[in-house]
Amino acid sequence: AQLDPHFVFNTLTAIGADIQENKPDQAYEYFVKVSNLLRSSINGNVGITRPLKDEMEFVENYLLLQKYRFGEKFSYTLMVNEGVDVGVLIPKMCIQIFVENALKHGLEHKQGLGLLKVDVSRDAGLLRIRVEDNGVGREQSQRLRTRSNGRGLQVFAQFFDILNKYNAIAAGYTITDLYDDSGRPIGTRVDLWIPDDYRYAV
């Protein structure tokens, strides 16, 4: 449940550049956003869950700051569909970790406009969360040696492995590589599902 320190450093560097370029109002606006994001991260250290609404707000603030850094390099949409209870508790950072990976591994090295979509829905007693990007794909990302040791996803998988033992219906996620008709990579899709009444107490 931690923000990437590279992200924090790079954002503060962008704010510093705005100050040097005599854009104090813009610099202050994004400095406040960074402060709020860090405060949310620190205050959230108690417990392993938070409401879906809070997770989505955290993700949106993160994406706003990434757009501040990258400008028009990418765009994003966040959709919570009708019938979804935004007060439902979900694992902290469970959307953030996949959004961060999509940017870091998929979109940061993409030529042209990057697109990132987060879609939350309910279906057959499950909360379903989809994170999809049109980036370079995991294989190309590995060739580029983007900074990551994969530890975040390992911990996340272990988290569900433990909790699934105490729940009748398992939670989990899949990662799908996307290709066009010619077999060229066109992005990555993550599908995460959490059953209704999923228990986090062990």
Side-chain angles (χ1 to χ4, degrees), residues 23-67:
K23 300 177 182 176
D25 292 340
Q26 179 169 292
Y28 180 75
E29 176 186 352
Y30 284 96
F31 178 77
V32 171
K33 292 183 188 298
V34 173
S35 298
N36 291 338
L37 205 64
L38 292 174
R39 184 181 300 111
S40 176
S41 182
I42 293 169
N43 290 343
N45 279 341
V46 178
I48 60 175
T49 63
R50 64 177 161 204
L52 172 63
K53 178 177 181 291
D54 291 352
E55 176 76 3
M56 292 296 283
E57 287 178 355
F58 188 91
V59 167
E60 181 157 27
N61 283 329
Y62 170 82
L63 288 169
L64 284 170
L65 286 167
Q66 289 287 31
K67 278 192 68 66

XYZ file of all heavy atoms in Angstrom, residues 23-67:
370
model
N 5.223 30.009 -12.742
C 3.819 29.567 -12.775
C 3.404 29.147 -11.367
O 3.081 27.984 -11.111
C 3.642 28.393 -13.746
C 4.026 28.691 -15.180
C 3.889 27.445 -16.038
C 4.322 27.694 -17.478
N 4.269 26.443 -18.289
N 3.429 30.095 -10.439
C 3.205 29.724 -9.032
C 1.804 29.184 -8.756
O 1.642 28.290 -7.915
C 3.444 31.042 -8.279
C 3.188 32.107 -9.299
C 3.651 31.537 -10.600
N 0.791 29.704 -9.432
C -0.569 29.231 -9.169
C -0.733 27.773 -9.566
O -1.324 26.972 -8.829
C -1.589 30.096 -9.924
C -1.658 31.511 -9.381
O -1.227 31.720 -8.223
O -2.130 32.405 -10.107
N -0.222 27.424 -10.744
C -0.313 26.031 -11.195
C 0.516 25.130 -10.296
O 0.079 24.024 -9.935
C 0.159 25.907 -12.639
C 0.112 24.486 -13.184
C 0.320 24.427 -14.686
O -0.526 24.877 -15.447
N 1.451 23.874 -15.100
N 1.709 25.587 -9.924
C 2.575 24.795 -9.052
C 1.892 24.538 -7.712
O 1.914 23.417 -7.193
C 3.911 25.518 -8.836
N 1.251 25.570 -7.162
C 0.582 25.410 -5.871
C -0.598 24.450 -5.979
O -0.820 23.607 -5.097
C 0.108 26.761 -5.346
C -0.599 26.655 -4.011
C 0.126 26.432 -2.845
C -1.981 26.738 -3.929
C -0.513 26.302 -1.626
C -2.623 26.611 -2.718
C -1.895 26.397 -1.563
O -2.542 26.266 -0.348
N -1.367 24.557 -7.071
C -2.524 23.677 -7.273
C -2.105 22.216 -7.226
O -2.750 21.389 -6.568
C -3.180 23.990 -8.619
C -4.335 23.060 -8.960
C -4.875 23.287 -10.366
O -4.447 24.269 -11.025
O -5.698 22.478 -10.809
N -1.012 21.882 -7.914
C -0.594 20.483 -7.957
C 0.178 20.078 -6.715
O 0.184 18.899 -6.342
C 0.190 20.212 -9.237
C -0.737 20.115 -10.417
C -0.977 21.216 -11.241
C -1.426 18.947 -10.687
C -1.864 21.142 -12.298
C -2.311 18.856 -11.740
C -2.529 19.959 -12.554
O -3.419 19.881 -13.592
N 0.789 21.045 -6.051
C 1.421 20.742 -4.765
C 0.365 20.300 -3.756
O 0.582 19.351 -2.990
C 2.173 21.965 -4.237
C 2.815 21.740 -2.902
C 3.990 21.012 -2.796
C 2.239 22.236 -1.745
C 4.576 20.791 -1.560
C 2.828 22.015 -0.503
C 4.000 21.300 -0.411
N -0.786 20.965 -3.764
C -1.889 20.569 -2.887
C -2.367 19.162 -3.222
O -2.655 18.349 -2.334
C -3.053 21.589 -2.970
C -4.292 21.065 -2.244
C -2.634 22.927 -2.394
N -2.447 18.839 -4.519
C -2.881 17.495 -4.919
C -1.898 16.438 -4.429
O -2.304 15.362 -3.963
C -3.024 17.417 -6.440
C -4.179 18.248 -7.003
C -4.288 18.065 -8.504
C -5.307 19.024 -9.110
N -6.662 18.806 -8.585
N -0.608 16.716 -4.539
C 0.392 15.777 -4.032
C 0.236 15.608 -2.525
O 0.279 14.487 -2.002
C 1.821 16.247 -4.369
C 2.843 15.343 -3.683
C 2.051 16.236 -5.855
N 0.038 16.724 -1.821
C -0.126 16.669 -0.375
C -1.327 15.807 0.007
O -1.256 14.985 0.924
C -0.309 18.082 0.194
O 0.824 18.870 -0.062
N -2.436 15.993 -0.713
C -3.638 15.206 -0.423
C -3.419 13.725 -0.684
O -3.889 12.862 0.064
C -4.816 15.714 -1.254
C -5.292 17.083 -0.817
O -5.048 17.509 0.316
N -5.965 17.794 -1.699
N -2.701 13.431 -1.775
C -2.434 12.033 -2.107
C -1.555 11.384 -1.036
O -1.820 10.258 -0.596
C -1.751 11.958 -3.475
C -1.908 10.663 -4.263
C -3.365 10.427 -4.628
C -1.067 10.714 -5.526
N -0.527 12.088 -0.605
C 0.356 11.555 0.434
C -0.375 11.411 1.759
O -0.190 10.431 2.488
C 1.580 12.457 0.596
C 2.554 12.475 -0.578
C 3.640 13.522 -0.360
C 3.183 11.101 -0.770
N -1.228 12.391 2.072
C -2.001 12.316 3.318
C -2.922 11.106 3.298
O -3.034 10.376 4.281
C -2.823 13.595 3.516
C -3.575 13.629 4.848
C -4.397 14.890 5.006
N -3.559 16.083 4.961
C -3.572 16.960 3.969
N -4.387 16.787 2.944
N -2.790 18.014 3.988
N -3.582 10.890 2.160
C -4.470 9.738 2.029
C -3.692 8.440 2.176
O -4.162 7.487 2.812
C -5.178 9.778 0.673
O -5.963 8.642 0.476
N -2.508 8.385 1.595
C -1.689 7.187 1.669
C -1.246 6.921 3.104
O -1.287 5.787 3.585
C -0.473 7.339 0.756
O 0.313 6.172 0.774
N -0.831 7.975 3.803
C -0.352 7.822 5.183
C -1.498 7.482 6.126
O -1.410 6.578 6.954
C 0.369 9.105 5.649
C 1.663 9.286 4.853
C 0.668 9.042 7.145
C 2.316 10.636 5.030
N -2.612 8.222 6.000
C -3.758 7.977 6.881
C -4.363 6.601 6.647
O -5.020 6.051 7.534
C -4.841 9.043 6.664
C -4.415 10.408 7.176
O -3.470 10.517 7.964
N -5.105 11.441 6.748
N -4.156 6.060 5.461
C -4.736 4.759 5.141
C -3.895 3.585 5.589
O -4.209 2.442 5.255
N -2.833 3.834 6.345
C -1.960 2.741 6.755
C -2.603 1.823 7.782
O -2.102 0.749 8.060
C -0.640 3.298 7.316
C 0.328 3.668 6.198
O 0.191 3.204 5.073
N 1.283 4.515 6.504
N -3.702 2.271 8.413
C -4.411 1.447 9.372
C -5.469 0.647 8.614
O -6.328 1.206 7.946
C -5.079 2.310 10.465
C -5.860 1.423 11.424
C -4.031 3.114 11.210
N -5.404 -0.667 8.721
C -6.379 -1.504 8.037
C -5.936 -1.855 6.626
O -5.046 -1.224 6.055
N -6.601 -2.850 6.056
C -6.221 -3.343 4.733
C -7.276 -3.040 3.677
O -7.106 -3.414 2.515
C -5.949 -4.863 4.766
C -7.205 -5.620 5.218
C -4.759 -5.184 5.655
C -7.056 -7.127 5.149
N -8.359 -2.382 4.079
C -9.421 -2.062 3.135
C -9.763 -0.579 3.192
O -9.372 0.129 4.115
C -10.704 -2.862 3.447
O -11.187 -2.488 4.750
C -10.456 -4.357 3.389
N -10.506 -0.134 2.187
C -11.113 1.181 2.210
C -12.312 1.163 1.258
O -12.407 0.272 0.382
C -10.134 2.277 1.830
C -9.578 2.247 0.420
C -8.676 3.460 0.224
N -7.760 3.321 -0.900
C -6.618 3.991 -0.989
N -6.263 4.828 -0.043
N -5.825 3.834 -2.025
N -13.250 2.106 1.390
C -14.412 2.120 0.499
C -13.993 2.303 -0.959
O -13.006 2.975 -1.260
C -15.232 3.320 1.009
C -14.800 3.511 2.413
C -13.348 3.132 2.447
N -14.768 1.712 -1.851
C -14.526 1.858 -3.287
C -14.437 3.326 -3.673
O -13.576 3.712 -4.477
C -15.649 1.173 -4.071
C -15.667 1.396 -5.579
C -14.423 0.824 -6.242
C -16.930 0.784 -6.189
N -15.304 4.153 -3.116
C -15.303 5.589 -3.415
C -13.937 6.205 -3.116
O -13.404 6.971 -3.920
C -16.389 6.293 -2.604
C -16.464 7.799 -2.797
C -17.632 8.365 -1.991
C -17.748 9.879 -2.192
N -16.619 10.607 -1.580
N -13.352 5.865 -1.976
C -12.049 6.427 -1.595
C -10.946 5.927 -2.524
O -10.026 6.675 -2.877
C -11.715 6.067 -0.149
C -12.624 6.768 0.850
O -13.409 7.646 0.430
O -12.568 6.423 2.042
N -11.021 4.648 -2.897
C -10.014 4.102 -3.814
C -10.086 4.797 -5.171
O -9.054 5.156 -5.750
C -10.226 2.599 -3.980
C -9.306 1.929 -4.991
C -7.881 1.707 -4.501
O -7.584 2.022 -3.320
O -7.053 1.234 -5.295
N -11.297 5.037 -5.658
C -11.451 5.695 -6.957
C -10.966 7.144 -6.898
O -10.354 7.644 -7.855
C -12.901 5.629 -7.416
C -13.388 4.230 -7.765
S -12.533 3.483 -9.176
C -13.328 4.371 -10.538
N -11.233 7.833 -5.801
C -10.741 9.209 -5.647
C -9.220 9.231 -5.608
O -8.584 10.117 -6.193
C -11.316 9.833 -4.373
C -12.790 10.182 -4.478
C -13.348 10.760 -3.186
O -12.599 10.803 -2.172
O -14.526 11.169 -3.173
N -8.630 8.258 -4.919
C -7.171 8.161 -4.851
C -6.594 7.956 -6.253
O -5.632 8.616 -6.652
C -6.787 6.997 -3.938
C -5.319 6.918 -3.631
C -4.796 7.556 -2.530
C -4.454 6.194 -4.441
C -3.445 7.491 -2.227
C -3.109 6.122 -4.165
C -2.602 6.771 -3.056
N -7.204 7.042 -7.012
C -6.750 6.753 -8.374
C -6.880 7.985 -9.261
O -5.978 8.303 -10.047
C -7.538 5.566 -8.963
C -7.305 5.444 -10.466
C -7.151 4.272 -8.266
N -8.004 8.712 -9.137
C -8.190 9.891 -9.983
C -7.167 10.970 -9.661
O -6.619 11.604 -10.576
C -9.599 10.447 -9.835
C -9.831 11.656 -10.733
C -11.280 11.911 -11.042
O -12.133 11.533 -10.231
O -11.554 12.496 -12.101
N -6.883 11.199 -8.385
C -5.855 12.183 -8.023
C -4.486 11.772 -8.569
O -3.715 12.611 -9.053
C -5.787 12.347 -6.501
C -6.909 13.191 -5.956
O -7.402 14.091 -6.631
N -7.341 12.912 -4.743
N -4.196 10.484 -8.503
C -2.939 9.975 -9.050
C -2.856 10.238 -10.555
O -1.832 10.712 -11.066
C -2.834 8.478 -8.757
C -1.701 7.779 -9.465
C -0.405 7.824 -8.964
C -1.926 7.052 -10.636
C 0.634 7.182 -9.607
C -0.893 6.409 -11.286
C 0.383 6.467 -10.771
O 1.413 5.832 -11.416
N -3.956 9.964 -11.262
C -3.955 10.165 -12.711
C -3.874 11.638 -13.086
O -3.225 12.002 -14.075
C -5.207 9.524 -13.316
C -5.201 7.992 -13.338
C -6.577 7.452 -13.700
C -4.145 7.468 -14.308
N -4.529 12.498 -12.312
C -4.434 13.944 -12.562
C -2.989 14.418 -12.450
O -2.526 15.236 -13.261
C -5.316 14.705 -11.583
C -6.816 14.683 -11.862
C -7.592 15.263 -10.673
C -7.148 15.456 -13.134
N -2.276 13.891 -11.472
C -0.878 14.281 -11.299
C -0.004 13.699 -12.414
O 0.951 14.342 -12.866
C -0.375 13.826 -9.925
C -0.914 14.660 -8.758
C -0.642 13.966 -7.435
C -0.296 16.051 -8.761
N -0.328 12.504 -12.879
C 0.433 11.944 -13.995
C 0.190 12.752 -15.271
O 1.119 12.970 -16.060
C 0.044 10.471 -14.215
C 0.542 9.528 -13.126
C 2.046 9.283 -13.217
O 2.827 10.132 -13.639
N 2.478 8.095 -12.822
N -1.032 13.213 -15.471
C -1.300 14.062 -16.641
C -0.572 15.398 -16.505
O -0.166 15.992 -17.517
C -2.808 14.285 -16.803
C -3.513 13.126 -17.504
C -4.925 13.467 -17.916
C -4.977 14.517 -19.013
N -4.415 14.029 -20.297
